[in-house]
Amino acid sequence: MNGHTPRAEHDPRPPHDPSAADSPRDLPPDAVTAVRGVDDDAARPPRLTDPLRHPQHAGDVTRTRRAWTLLLSTLVVPGSAQLVAGRRAVGRAALKVDVVVWAAAVLALVCLLLWRTPLIWFLTNSFTSLLVIAGLVALALGWAFLFFDTLRLIRPGLLVQRTRRAVAAATVALMLVTSGGLAYSAYLLSVTRGAVSDVFGGGLPFRPSDGRYNILVMGTDSGEDRSGRRPDSMSVLSVDADSGRTVTISLPRNLQNAPFPEDSPLADVYPEGYNCGDECILNSLYTDVTNDHAELYPDAADPGAEAMKDAASGILGIEVQAYAIVEMNGFEQLVDALGGITVDVGGRVPIGGGTDMVTGLPNEIFGYIEPGVQRLDGYHALWYARSREGATDYDRQARQRCVQAAMLEQLNPVNVLTRFEDLAKSGTQVVETDIPQSQIGSFVDVALKAKEHELVQYAAGPPFYDPSFPTYPDFDLLHEDLDRVLEEATDRGAREAEALSGGTPMGSGVAMTVPVPASKPLVGAQELTPNGTCSVP
């Protein structure tokens, strides 16, 4: 009234300062604030009580629980600790990696159970294995970073001393298990990659011949008293591609008149077989071709080995598709890498002995491998396979088959994993082969099947045939007998043989009892001496 403006009533509340640091509107949008009571001090800032993101206002028990929760979250789902503690960009990136890794792991598991060949190829191929190695290293570094970041988010300074030490120790232990395990896996894969590249050849994989893979395995001896390399022992591993049932067939080193398949270049050089006299025994063919006929195999890395493959094919009447050479001078190292082999020795075997090729005098005997179950290291295993003193060639071949079988028995998953690096290193120094690297997947698959069956042993000589058989071999008879042996080394053949004999299926392991061919040889079999009898317990 009278032009007087009414006076505004006094507001006792202080004016709002939008720039004040304790203004609720400046708090994190996800902060949980305490409810202010009517008696609360208006000037006191609200307290943040979300313990995951703001542990400074929580109690000791809550902080301890929070620390272990974040740590275990990083172990189980890497990135989840960062996601819930406010580091959302890092957490989301880590969770995307988690999804990719779990998808790859599930795919690998499905392949392992249903179709192992492409998985093994992926892990052994030079290019793809390098990608896997790089991926494992990246995962190891990433997981280690997440553990370090989780420890920062835990804020150990807020924990009581005992809990702080326990959390720090647990973080280190979990990093060793996770990142350390991934890094070690990358290292083992790198060792595998190097060994595969050093040992195996290139080219495309080969298919089974009449349902079987046939590999010639030669033990060579190139010592100072030898003229070049020559095979000291020869055997063919014939593996059924479907079941993995395996037959090892020994070829006597003194076998004569070895025939060659029609498509072999040696068929023109030796049309009547390798029959140039007593000097033309089987193990001399390697040196003969290497020195005088290498031009017949212009594309071969080892013409002598290719010639031996042709000879083994002609002798046995089967296609031998590949070879593997085991250098006996490095054999000792390979057995030691396996941790030794266990053999039930039938008769006393000398260490040393034989005749000095220079003086013609007997060599000294340094000791004996005694009868009974023996655990042989590389040195004694090598002598057990090579000793000639008081033994025939057939005794030595029988002992070599025992050693081969014992080594296969030792190649179990636990032994391979625990001694993987030593086996890989010794393998590159001992083994040469023309098996292509691309074949490894199918071979590993069939090798796993082979572990379920006994190894059947056979020989193109005593004890299956008379001692004169290698000098005057009847190859038609050998082919006929071997066809029956190989037929029984299939699932169908094994079932038919069991039905005829009324027997029961045999368990896995190594069959050291000598199998008798379905058709008895026309010549009498020769029994081994105690020096050559053995088995694998």
Side-chain angles (χ1 to χ4, degrees):
M1 305 289 303
N2 300 324
H4 178 71
T5 301
R7 191 173 185 177
E9 295 184 7
H10 175 70
D11 187 349
R13 295 177 298 175
H16 174 67
D17 183 0
S19 63
D22 58 352
S23 174
R25 73 182 63 185
D26 293 325
L27 296 176
D30 51 0
V32 179
T33 59
V35 178
R36 180 175 294 159
V38 294
D39 296 328
D40 285 348
D41 186 352
R44 181 181 300 172
R47 296 179 61 191
L48 307 179
T49 58
D50 182 354
L52 281 175
R53 302 190 182 188
H54 308 287
Q56 66 271 25
H57 298 299
D60 290 341
V61 174
T62 301
R63 291 172 182 171
T64 300
R65 186 182 301 115
R66 172 183 178 275
W68 290 115
T69 299
L70 292 178
L71 201 57
L72 292 176
S73 297
T74 303
L75 173 65
V76 178
V77 185
S80 58
Q82 283 70 23
L83 193 63
V84 300
R87 298 257 292 170
R88 293 193 173 185
V90 174
R92 287 169 179 166
L95 290 178
K96 290 178 181 178
V97 175
D98 292 346
V99 172
V100 173
V101 171
W102 276 108
V106 170
L107 179 61
L109 180 62
V110 171
C111 287
L112 183 64
L113 296 176
L114 302 179
W115 194 21
R116 288 184 289 259
T117 300
L119 175 63
I120 297 169
W121 175 88
F122 190 85
L123 294 176
T124 55
N125 178 270
S126 296
F127 177 72
T128 54
S129 62
L130 184 60
L131 294 180
V132 176
I133 291 171
L136 289 173
V137 171
L139 289 175
L141 294 175
W143 214 342
F145 166 77
L146 290 177
F147 272 113
F148 274 121
D149 191 59
T150 299
L151 189 61
R152 183 188 65 82
L153 293 173
I154 288 173
R155 299 175 65 177
L158 297 177
L159 303 174
V160 297
Q161 186 175 12
R162 183 176 61 182
T163 304
R164 186 187 313 146
R165 291 175 179 174
V167 168
T171 302
V172 173
L174 292 176
M175 286 178 60
L176 289 175
V177 171
T178 54
S179 295
L182 288 172
Y184 187 65
S185 298
Y187 170 72
L188 291 182
L189 189 56
S190 177
V191 172
T192 302
R193 182 172 179 270
V196 166
S197 299
D198 290 343
V199 173
F200 291 89
L204 298 175
F206 52 82
R207 299 180 62 83
S209 174
D210 294 328
R212 306 192 73 87
Y213 294 112
N214 302 307
I215 314 298
L216 174 64
V217 180
M218 295 177 283
T220 62
D221 192 349
S222 53
E224 296 180 356
D225 60 338
R226 300 298 179 95
S227 177
R229 172 192 270 181
R230 68 178 185 183
D232 196 53
S233 64
M234 293 155 285
S235 60
V236 172
L237 287 178
S238 181
V239 187
D240 181 59
D242 292 329
S243 67
R245 294 180 183 270
T246 304
V247 178
T248 176
I249 311 149
S250 295
L251 300 176
R253 59 191 292 274
N254 61 335
L255 189 94
Q256 298 187 31
N257 304 321
F260 299 98
E262 293 181 359
D263 59 350
S264 170
L266 287 174
D268 294 331
V269 179
Y270 297 107
E272 302 299 325
Y274 191 51
N275 64 348
C276 55
D278 291 340
E279 294 183 358
C280 281
I281 58 176
L282 180 59
N283 81 326
S284 70
L285 177 65
Y286 186 102
T287 304
D288 177 65
V289 171
T290 300
N291 294 339
D292 300 326
H293 302 292
E295 73 282 356
L296 296 177
Y297 299 92
D299 299 326
D302 189 336
E306 291 294 329
M308 296 300 294
K309 279 168 51 179
D310 286 351
S313 297
I315 292 168
L316 301 178
I318 59 178
E319 180 187 354
V320 177
Q321 302 127 313
Y323 69 84
I325 297 176
V326 179
E327 177 57 57
M328 299 304 287
N329 289 335
F331 176 80
E332 180 177 338
Q333 180 183 354
L334 183 60
V335 174
D336 285 336
L338 276 172
I341 57 175
T342 301
V343 177
D344 190 352
V345 178
R348 210 178 192 205
V349 176
I351 299 174
T355 303
D356 189 301
M357 300 297 292
V358 177
T359 65
L361 299 175
N363 291 320
E364 181 182 358
I365 294 178
F366 303 101
Y368 293 88
I369 298 171
E370 300 293 344
V373 177
Q374 303 286 349
R375 184 70 176 178
L376 305 178
D377 60 12
Y379 173 81
H380 291 90
L382 180 58
W383 269 111
Y384 187 70
R386 297 178 63 185
S387 178
R388 297 179 181 274
E389 183 70 24
T392 66
D393 274 349
Y394 312 114
D395 291 328
R396 292 179 68 243
Q397 290 173 17
R399 282 190 266 113
Q400 289 165 2
R401 291 195 296 269
C402 277
V403 170
Q404 290 174 357
M407 292 180 69
L408 291 174
E409 187 72 8
Q410 288 291 107
L411 286 172
N412 56 72
V414 174
N415 209 14
V416 170
L417 288 176
T418 56
R419 302 176 181 273
F420 184 84
E421 185 176 359
D422 290 339
L423 285 170
K425 289 181 178 179
S426 62
T428 59
Q429 300 174 23
V430 174
V431 180
E432 299 176 22
T433 183
D434 66 343
I435 298 173
Q437 185 174 331
S438 56
Q439 192 83 47
I440 296 175
S442 58
F443 271 23
V444 170
D445 191 40
V446 78
L448 292 174
K449 296 177 183 177
K451 296 288 288 183
E452 302 173 2
H453 307 288
E454 293 186 348
L455 178 67
V456 178
Q457 299 187 2
Y458 193 59
F464 297 89
Y465 302 94
D466 187 88
S468 64
F469 189 86
T471 306
Y472 307 101
D474 184 339
F475 292 114
D476 290 336
L477 175 64
L478 177 61
H479 295 173
E480 182 181 352
D481 290 335
L482 183 59
D483 286 345
R484 293 189 175 93
V485 172
L486 295 182
E487 176 59 29
E488 290 187 4
T490 62
D491 282 344
R492 184 187 63 183
R495 288 193 299 267
E496 292 176 353
E498 290 163 7
L500 290 174
S501 64
T504 56
M506 303 179 72
S508 62
V510 180
M512 300 305 302
T513 54
V514 178
V516 177
S519 175
K520 185 178 179 180
L522 298 179
V523 291
Q526 173 72 28
E527 294 295 331
L528 298 172
T529 71
N531 181 285
T533 57
C534 56
S535 63
V536 177

